[in-house]
């Protein structure tokens, strides 16, 4: 809601005729987010906006500015043009701003909020805003009232409240509960009511409000209280505010019931009958009376006294302890002492009528006195209890006992009554002296207290018993004992840090500090194991890796707190259980295998080695071929790689496979490796002749061809590689007029003319060419027939073809082609002069024979000239142009071997 008040209109400095002061009131809830509109100053001040001004007047735009920078500015944002006021990013907390319940003071501008605020409980934020230009100038005082929201729950200043109520408090007693709940919120959002979760049927709560509005809870007693029945009530007090929804706070309320003296002493019995021998010694205990008061402290203090009815002689004969109620013989009984005494004893309590009990003491007179037993302790004795350490040696003296007869008339004997490792024996050479000593070491863990009696009796049958209590003192004679000497544990690998392993337990039969056990790791324990010395909890501080170490074995100690300390040792074994945290691992990332071609099917190509660091099922590895599974197969267990079929290098020289290894874990882990298989060539392919294409083809050779000119070539290929594909050419058979006229290059297969052709050399030449590789262990070869027709022209092709169809009569020369693959170095041997002369002589004779033979050969050739001329008459057909052998299509042809 918007409240607009005009405070004053008057002069203001030099703008006296225009200045006005105005107050604007706004209100908003605390805790609003940024950007919430608080109000529009221009609209609420009824100032003309830029959109509503007359364009002709050309009024300057309005400007809104905060006049001063104070605390309030951080909570608001002012639009300088529109005058709109919004909340800022700083959240408004009413309880932080207005710590006082009435009229908060906040410095937001040039003034502070005073008690003149609209409400005494208002929390105001003050701003001073200047409006410009001069025509509209005014100082606007903006007051923003911060409304409270229920954002705080009631809270008690202490978590535990204690209240004392007298047990005799009457019904409707009201007791104020200190430390009421506090709620920073105001009004109905503050604390409104209190309640008890459990009122036990005797309590309720009421709330009173003072002048300042503070509410104080009061505890009201609704029923009778009795401390002796229940001395304390524990409940929870709940404070609730009036917000929507309401918020609550609680604290523990302990109601203690204070004691009053509402109980008096009481005896369990009204009469006690006692018999006393007349020969009893002074100080003999006669009886003890005991009264009970249910009250506490001083209200329960009881004193004992004789009633006025008790005669003085009885008072003198029997002493009554006022505090304990013990009655003892104070004077000696003689023949004149009455046989019956009636002792009326009062139990007195503060403000109470005394309780009464009657003790009837009957004195039996005897003619003689009983024997006397006088102890003299050697061991430490306190108030009739003898203290002996365990493990004291045998025959440790405990006490001397003197046995005597007061009348010195009768013989007195004694004996030891009770169980225990003790004996009572006469101590010679003295009479009536007896020594009490141990017969074996005492053991505190077996028995801590012995109660034995030294009994003396005289010849008349009178017995006297002296009770001796022996307390065994503990010694550190027992070492701690582990419940198990071998502690076997297991834990999964990859455990979380500080994982719990077990809780060690050792017991020590000794008592006190001597039986307190502490736990320690042995020197052989790794540093990442920890053992709590007090609780015995064994933990491991780091992650364990089974692949790094599977078993741990070390010792632990249990040490007691005795002096000197005793200890025992146990062994801890820890088995780290496997988890599938390791993928299969190939010994190599890439495998390469060299296999000869034509390797038999399902032969072993190689072994793929793979490991998995895990154990059991997690370490079981299965291998499979990811690609090429139609050709290759792998043995899952052994890792043997095999080919299903025989491999031919000429079809495919290498294979690349991917092998996957998958372990048996859940989920399974896998890895892959690259396998390269290279086929090694074997000599399984003979050379393939591509040219000439047929044994029936021929080539015209002109007689004018010069010696050394290339005629044709034999061209062959070999599908093998290396030396298996190195080809050598040789002429192994010749036929023709002068067949030695042609020579073949063993490396290139080029056929050249060696000698000049003469007229009688015309005709058909048939050269059988052997094409051989250098394979190992056995070279392979092919043959081809090279047909050369020496003539000027080809006039009758049919005749030439008929000659080619005839079976050639060629003798095969077993001569291997000589191709120099590697240079051969021969050692030159020194020779004498005689062998040199013999060699020269042989060469000279050979030259003479060669010249003679050549002459005879020429004559014979001339004689046959005319006959050959007749034979070649039909094929001397001149050819126009030479055939370019290299331009022919070189296609492979099948040529049978000869």
């Amino acid at each position: 809601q918007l409240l607009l008040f005009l405070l004053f209109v008057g002069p203001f400095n030099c703008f006296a005729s225009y200045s006005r002061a105005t107050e604007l009131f706004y209100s908003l809830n605390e805790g609003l987010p940024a950007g919430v509109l608080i109000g529009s100053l221009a609209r609420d001040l009824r100032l003309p906006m830029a959109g509503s001004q007359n364009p002709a007047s050309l009024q300057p735009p309005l400007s809104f500015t905060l006049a001063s920078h104070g605390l309030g500015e951080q909570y608001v944002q002012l639009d300088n043009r529109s005058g709109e006021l919004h909340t800022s990013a700083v959240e408004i907390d009413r309880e932080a701003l207005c710590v006082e319940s009435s009229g908060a003071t906040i410095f937001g501008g040039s003034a502070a909020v005073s008690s003149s605020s609209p409400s005494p409980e208002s929390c105001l934020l003050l701003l001073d805003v200047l409006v410009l230009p001069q025509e509209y100038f005014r100082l606007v005082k903006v007051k923003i009232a911060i409304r409270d929201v229920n954002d705080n729950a009631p809270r008690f200043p202490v978590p535990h409240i204690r209240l004392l109520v007298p047990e005799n408090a009457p019904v409707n007693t009201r007791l104020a509960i200190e430390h009421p709940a506090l709620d920073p919120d105001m009004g109905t959002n503050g604390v409104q009511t209190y309640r008890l979760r459990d009122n036990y049927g005797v309590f309720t709560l009421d709330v009173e409000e003072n002048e300042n509005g503070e509410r104080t809870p009061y505890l009201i007693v609704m029923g009778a209280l009795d401390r002796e029945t229940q001395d304390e009530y524990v409940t929870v007090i709940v404070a609730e505010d009036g917000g929507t929804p309401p918020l609550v706070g609680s604290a523990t309320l302990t109601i203690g019931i204070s004691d009053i003296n509402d109980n008096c002493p009481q005896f369990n019995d009204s009469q006690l009958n006692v018999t006393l021998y007349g020969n009893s010694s002074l100080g003999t205990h006669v009886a003890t009376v005991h009264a009970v008061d249910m009250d506490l402290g001083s209200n329960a203090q009881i004193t004992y006294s004789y009633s006025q009815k008790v005669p003085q002689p009885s008072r003198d004969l029997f002493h009554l302890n006022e505090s304990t109620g013990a009655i003892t013989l104070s004077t000696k009984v003689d023949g004149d002492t009455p046989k019956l005494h009636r002792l009326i004893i009062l139990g007195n309590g503060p403000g109470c009528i005394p309780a009464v009990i009657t003790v009837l003491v009957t004195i039996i007179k005897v003619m003689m006195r009983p024997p006397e037993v006088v102890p003299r302790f050697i061991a430490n004795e306190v108030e009739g209890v003898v203290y002996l350490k365990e493990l004291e040696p045998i025959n440790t003296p405990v006490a001397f006992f003197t046995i005597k007869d007061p009348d010195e008339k009768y013989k007195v004997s004694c004996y030891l009554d009770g169980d225990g490792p003790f004996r009572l024996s006469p101590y010679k050479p003295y009479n009536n002296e007896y020594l009490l000593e141990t017969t074996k070491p005492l053991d505190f863990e077996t028995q801590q207290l012995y109660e034995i009696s030294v009994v003396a009796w005289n010849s008349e049958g009178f017995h006297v018993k002296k009770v001796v209590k022996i307390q065994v003192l503990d010694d550190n004679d027992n070492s701690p004992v582990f419940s198990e000497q071998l502690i076997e544990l297991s834990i999964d690998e990859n455990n979380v840090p500080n994982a719990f392993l077990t809780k060690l337990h050792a017991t020590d039969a000794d008592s006190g500090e001597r039986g307190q056990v502490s736990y320690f790791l042995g020197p052989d324990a790794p540093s990442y194991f920890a053992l709590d010395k007090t609780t015995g909890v064994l933990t491991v501080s780091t992650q364990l890796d089974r692949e790094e170490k599977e078993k741990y074995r070390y010792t632990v100690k249990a040490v007691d707190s005795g002096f000197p300390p005793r200890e025992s040792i146990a062994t801890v074994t820890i088995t780290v259980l496997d988890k599938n945290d390791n993928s299969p691992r190939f010994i190599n990332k890439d495998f390469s295998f060299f296999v000869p071609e034509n390797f038999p099917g399902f032969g072993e190509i190689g072994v793929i080695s793979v490991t998995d660091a895990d154990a059991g099922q997690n370490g079981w590895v299965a291998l499979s071929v990811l690609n090429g599974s139609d050709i290759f197969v792998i043995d899952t267990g052994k890792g043997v790689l095999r080919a299903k079929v025989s491999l031919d290098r000429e079809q495919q020289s290498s294979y690349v496979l991917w092998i996957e290894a998958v372990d048996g874990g859940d989920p399974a882990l896998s890895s892959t490796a690259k396998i390269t298989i290279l086929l090694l060539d074997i000599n399984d392919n003979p050379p393939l002749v591509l040219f000439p294409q047929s044994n029936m083809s021929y080539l015209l050779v002109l007689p004018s061809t010069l010696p050394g000119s290339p005629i044709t070539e034999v061209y062959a290929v070999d599908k093998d590689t290396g030396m298996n594909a190195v080809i050598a050419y040789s002429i192994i058979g010749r036929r023709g007029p002068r067949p030695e006229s042609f020579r073949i290059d063993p490396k290139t297969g080029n056929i050249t003319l060696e000698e000049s052709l003469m007229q009688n050399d015309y005709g058909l030449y048939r050269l059988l060419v052997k094409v051989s590789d250098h394979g190992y262990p056995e070279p392979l070869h092919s043959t081809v027939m090279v047909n050369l027709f020496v003539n000027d022209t080809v006039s009758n092709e049919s005749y030439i073809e008929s000659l080619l169809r005839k079976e050639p009569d060629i003798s095969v020369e077993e001569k291997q082609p000589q191709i120099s693959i590697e240079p051969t170095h021969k050692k030159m041997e020194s020779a004498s002069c005689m062998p040199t002369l013999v060699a020269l002589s042989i060469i000279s004779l050979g030259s003479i024979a060669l010249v003679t033979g050549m002459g005879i050969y020429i004559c014979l050739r001339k004689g046959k000239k005319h006959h050959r001329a007749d034979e070649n008459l039909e094929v001397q057909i001149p050819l126009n142009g030479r055939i370019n052998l290299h331009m022919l299509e070189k296609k492979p042809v099948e040529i049978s071997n000869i």
Side-chain angles (χ1 to χ4, degrees), residues 379-541:
N380 184 28
E381 180 267 340
V382 178
E383 295 182 356
V385 180
V386 179
Y387 295 91
L388 288 177
K389 290 185 178 181
E390 64 173 334
L391 302 180
E392 289 283 359
I394 300 174
N395 302 326
T396 297
V398 179
F400 278 115
F401 290 90
T402 301
I403 310 300
K404 61 182 179 179
D405 180 18
D407 299 328
E408 297 181 356
K409 294 189 215 178
Y410 307 99
K411 181 180 178 181
V412 181
S413 301
C414 72
Y415 65 91
L416 187 64
D417 183 23
D419 297 329
F422 305 98
R423 68 166 170 257
L424 185 67
S425 56
Y427 189 71
K428 297 178 181 181
Y430 304 103
N431 293 326
N432 297 329
E433 294 287 343
Y434 293 86
L435 176 64
L436 179 64
E437 59 186 354
T438 61
T439 58
K440 64 178 182 179
L442 303 178
D443 188 4
F444 174 85
E445 288 72 36
T446 303
Q447 187 171 347
Q448 293 87 32
L449 181 65
Y450 294 90
E451 189 170 323
I452 58 178
S453 301
V454 177
V455 181
W457 81 97
N458 58 17
S459 57
E460 296 298 321
F462 282 96
H463 292 72
V464 174
K465 181 185 292 186
K466 181 65 176 179
V467 178
V468 179
K469 293 183 179 180
I470 299 176
Q471 176 68 52
V472 181
L473 299 178
D474 187 29
D475 197 2
N476 193 29
D477 60 335
N478 290 278
S479 298
V481 178
F482 280 99
S483 56
E484 295 176 309
Q485 287 298 314
L486 179 60
I487 304 166
E488 297 180 331
L489 307 173
S490 63
I491 184 175
D492 290 334
E493 66 175 329
N494 304 328
N495 55 283
V496 297
N498 300 317
F500 172 84
L501 293 175
T502 189
K503 184 176 181 180
L504 304 181
H505 180 66
T507 57
D508 194 316
D510 295 324
S511 63
E513 292 184 353
R514 293 172 291 275
Q516 294 180 358
V517 180
S518 299
Y519 302 91
F520 301 94
L521 291 172
D524 55 344
S527 60
Y528 38 82
F529 288 95
L531 179 60
D532 190 286
K533 64 177 296 186
T534 304
T535 63
V537 173
L538 181 64
T539 57
V540 57
S541 61

Side-chain angles (χ1 to χ4, degrees), residues 206-225:
D206 190 19
V207 179
E208 292 185 2
E209 186 174 356
N210 59 14
E211 297 177 355
N212 296 327
E214 297 176 352
R215 296 174 181 265
T216 303
Y218 281 82
L219 181 71
I220 302 177
V221 179
M222 301 298 294
L225 304 176

Side-chain angles (χ1 to χ4, degrees), residues 779-823:
L780 301 179
H781 69 275
S782 299
T783 59
V784 66
M785 187 70 71
V786 177
N787 302 301
L788 303 176
F789 184 61
V790 178
N791 199 6
D792 292 325
T793 61
V794 177
S795 60
N796 192 347
E797 292 185 5
S798 60
Y799 173 73
I800 299 175
E801 292 176 357
S802 65
L803 293 177
L804 294 176
R805 284 192 292 270
K806 294 180 180 179
E807 186 69 26
D809 184 12
I810 300 176
S811 60
V812 178
E813 303 174 3
E814 295 298 334
K815 181 179 179 182
Q816 295 295 333
Q818 300 297 325
I819 299 179
S820 178
I821 304 302
E822 293 181 358

Side-chain angles (χ1 to χ4, degrees), residues 144-191:
I144 304 174
I146 309 300
R147 292 193 297 265
D148 182 46
V149 297
N150 192 26
D151 57 347
N152 292 279
R155 185 177 60 86
F156 287 90
V158 293
H160 300 280
I161 303 173
R162 185 170 181 84
L163 185 66
L164 287 178
V165 180
E167 62 176 325
N168 63 344
V171 177
N172 293 327
T173 299
R174 299 170 65 88
L175 299 169
I177 298 177
E178 298 181 359
H179 311 295
L182 304 177
D183 193 328
D185 296 324
M186 300 297 295
T188 58
N189 292 332
V191 179

